[in-house]
Amino acid sequence: NSRWSVAGMTALVTGGTRGIGCAVVEELAELGAAVYTCSRNEAELNQRLHEWSSKGFSVSGCVCDLSSRPQREQLVEKVSSLFSGKLNILINNVGTNIRKPTTDYTPELYSMLMATNFESSYHISQLAHPLLKASGVGSIVFISSVAGLVHADVGSIYSATKAAMNQLTKNLACEWAKDNIRANCVAPWFTKTSLIEEVLDNKEFLDLVASRTPLKRLGEANEVSSLVAFLCLPSASYITGQTIAVDGGFTVNGFP
Ligand code: NDP
């Protein structure tokens, strides 16, 4: 049933070698898309590309540091030449965090977090717009965070970059609807990936997170990627401008 397939579609997933991005690459490839991805570590990228090719997935990729403007331009040029100027799916996944009290952030850290988390997804969306439009049916998904919806003690810059993404989703949904491009946003709560290794080692903090989360556990990367993939399906054709939390109920949990 073609409503539940992305067969024949092309996709760019930023940061696909680990965690949520990796799960999204696999989900989209399994559903039939031709996927392009990137990361900074070449050895890990080659390892993943090898694994995906032995699973029969159509995935290619290159090394790219998404915090660099010229590297983003080169990335989208490669995607454009590989997919003949047409892209159906853009997943803005790359993001990082360094957690500090607001008073301790240096200008360098501020710029690094802004460039990696927000500017990169803004710029990649600008660069990909002609490709998404040319494909006839485009879908953008931003990987935001629950930290962009409510206070979570993970640092104010990270949280502000995610809140900015939530708003950008609404603007692009309205601005690019005429080009048949949808834009949606997925906001995960703590998800077991390399990004939160420190958290995963902290039993006390894990217990606190579980105690405040109705489903009483953290999320898995493939519990996020399933929603991301759904938002790219023809079945989701009337859904645009939304930010959806994948959080085990955390953001709706009031008192006690
Ligand atoms: P991971 O750190 O586990 O994976 C990040 C991926 O992105 C890796 O493939 C990494 O490869 C790549 N990457 C990181 N920085 C860059 C860069 N500058 N340029 C290119 N590639 C890069 O992170 P997660 O999977 O946990 O996070 C993915 C997204 O989900 C992020 O936006 C994050 O903020 C968000 N999120 C995660 C949550 C969690 O609890 N895990 C909760 C809420 C949101 P390499 O290092 O080799 O570049």
Side-chain angles (χ1 to χ4, degrees):
N1 185 332
S2 62
R3 294 178 69 222
W4 296 95
S5 165
V6 290
M9 294 195 196
T10 56
L12 168 61
V13 180
T14 64
T17 54
R18 294 193 307 277
I20 293 168
C22 182
V24 172
V25 167
E26 297 192 349
E27 200 92 55
L28 290 174
E30 208 150 342
L31 290 168
V35 184
Y36 198 85
T37 192
C38 67
S39 72
R40 289 164 304 177
N41 182 322
E42 186 170 22
E44 194 174 36
L45 176 69
N46 288 336
Q47 171 73 28
R48 289 289 173 270
L49 290 174
H50 180 76
E51 287 164 14
W52 290 324
S53 120
S54 41
K55 286 184 185 169
F57 294 158
S58 169
V59 187
S60 48
C62 70
V63 169
C64 173
D65 183 347
L66 258 275
S67 67
S68 148
R69 197 169 185 90
Q71 289 192 39
R72 287 181 217 130
E73 282 160 358
Q74 287 163 12
L75 172 70
V76 177
E77 272 163 31
K78 283 181 195 151
V79 169
S80 181
S81 66
L82 180 69
F83 295 145
S84 313
K86 291 177 186 163
L87 186 68
N88 299 105
I89 296 168
L90 168 62
I91 313 296
N92 284 306
N93 168 69
V94 160
T96 193
N97 194 19
I98 292 173
R99 186 180 145 201
K100 285 185 185 296
T102 297
T103 45
D104 291 358
Y105 278 116
T106 60
E108 291 71 27
L109 270 180
Y110 178 89
S111 301
M112 187 281 281
L113 287 171
M114 279 294 177
T116 307
N117 292 8
F118 183 65
E119 191 188 339
S120 75
S121 52
Y122 190 92
H123 188 208
I124 293 279
S125 301
Q126 287 180 312
L127 293 168
H129 174 259
L131 286 74
L132 290 161
K133 186 177 173 179
S135 75
V137 195
S139 172
I140 304 174
V141 180
F142 293 92
I143 309 300
S144 175
S145 169
V146 159
L149 296 170
V150 296
H151 171 262
D153 193 13
V154 297
S156 55
I157 302 176
Y158 177 85
S159 305
T161 64
K162 297 303 189 179
M165 248 179 189
N166 301 348
Q167 180 58 35
L168 179 60
T169 301
K170 298 176 191 177
N171 280 68
L172 297 191
C174 297
E175 209 176 318
W176 292 350
K178 64 175 186 338
D179 303 319
N180 206 24
I181 299 169
R182 293 179 298 110
N184 290 289
C185 190
V186 170
W189 181 224
F190 283 106
T191 307
K192 290 183 208 156
T193 71
S194 61
L195 183 68
I196 62 156
E197 258 160 17
E198 264 178 50
V199 171
L200 297 176
D201 289 340
N202 184 342
K203 169 104 177 53
E204 208 178 318
F205 188 75
L206 283 181
D207 288 347
L208 182 62
V209 171
S211 73
R212 291 289 315 272
T213 305
L215 289 178
K216 298 290 175 235
R217 62 177 178 85
L218 276 62
E220 301 286 342
N222 67 8
E223 295 179 302
V224 178
S225 63
S226 47
L227 174 62
V228 175
F230 170 71
L231 290 168
C232 301
L233 287 169
S235 330
S237 52
Y238 203 53
I239 304 173
T240 195
Q242 303 303 305
T243 295
I244 305 174
V246 179
D247 67 352
F250 176 79
T251 49
V252 298
N253 197 18
F255 179 82

